[in-house]
Amino acid sequence: MFKIIPIYKDYLWGGTKLKTAYGKQSDLDIVAESWELSTHPAGTCLIEVNGQKQSLKTYIKEQGKKVLGSKCNVEDEIPILIKLIDAKDNLSVQVHPDDAYAKRYENDLGKTEMWYVLEAEEGAKLVYGFKKDLTPELFEQYIKENTLTEALNFVDVHKGDTFFITPGTMHAIGKGIVIAEIQQSSNVTYRVYDYGRVGADGKPRELHIDKAKQVTKLTKAEESYVAYTMKECEGYSIGVLAECDYFKVQRIDLKSQIHLVADTKSFHALLVTEGSITVKNELEVLSASKGDSIFIPAATGSYQVEGRGEILLSTL
């Protein structure tokens, strides 16, 4: 079992909450994203093996696919990516393609993702699809006239809210929100609207209008929030936040302890979002607190989590 050493990103819309409230240690002034589980080329997490830092990707290559589990459909890559995101300002309005489109035009995977809201300032909102049906012509007109926000579906956001974003859904995290994001391991994003901002080079950030027009769903958004219930058990409560072809994410509210089993089908990824915990099996003991992530290889078997707090458990 390994504590993850994350990768940090300093995008212009980010803040400092991941450093001040989630224990992230970085020389960056802004920490917009903390990649908590990743073997993606744009950022591979590290682990500590026998006192030495090592790439998680290297470890997986050395140990083989058994570390990832039989549900993994690739050889030496983790097919999901887990992030903490601190939006001090609005993110760009964007859309992701599905696997077929991404493979054909980007030689990459599409992106299905979910958001679990950790913090939301009063009045915080995010974008989830459109508030009405659009025709391709009307969609293009909104883009050309720089009035796309008139058609977007803005929803109120509160701590504990969960959103599931399928490919083709226009979306954007709003300012004042901290989320945990679990997604396919893909960095393919088509930016459609960016509030007129400029990048570090002083130029407007690139938009991807043509590709976005090909992949965006133009129908009115259905229910945006994911409804989930927490089942009360002795020592904890648990609920499923999202389950799809790519990942399953469960929220665990830990009151004293829970016994879990990492079988041969999938690794376990634990992200502590509140409190402090201890993870132990017959061979190891790991301590973790708010903001920490632990990777438990497939076939590790039984382990116990003790303490008080909130944990997101992600599996394939």
Side-chain angles (χ1 to χ4, degrees), residues 14 19 31 90 102 139 142 151 161 175 210 234 248 251 257 262 267 278 291 309 314:
K19 296 172 72 172
V31 178
N90 296 316
F139 182 42
Y142 276 122
D161 286 346
K175 64 181 179 180
D210 289 340
E234 186 176 350
K248 179 179 181 179
R251 169 182 160 184
Q257 64 180 15
F267 62 84
T278 300
S314 299

Side-chain angles (χ1 to χ4, degrees), residues 204-271:
R205 296 207 297 168
E206 182 184 4
L207 300 180
H208 314 92
I209 303 301
D210 289 340
K211 289 181 176 178
K213 287 192 294 186
Q214 295 179 54
V215 304
T216 301
K217 298 173 185 174
L218 299 179
T219 53
K220 180 181 177 180
E222 299 298 328
E223 180 62 43
S224 51
Y225 303 94
V226 173
Y228 66 92
T229 56
M230 299 295 291
K231 179 183 177 182
E232 292 291 334
C233 303
E234 186 176 350
Y236 65 95
S237 57
I238 190 168
V240 177
L241 302 183
E243 188 168 12
C244 63
D245 291 342
Y246 307 102
F247 50 76
K248 179 179 181 179
V249 182
Q250 298 176 85
R251 169 182 160 184
I252 300 170
D253 289 353
L254 190 65
K255 298 164 188 172
S256 57
Q257 64 180 15
I258 183 174
H259 293 275
L260 297 167
V261 179
D263 59 22
T264 58
K265 295 178 182 178
S266 174
F267 62 84
H268 284 196
L270 303 180
L271 171 59

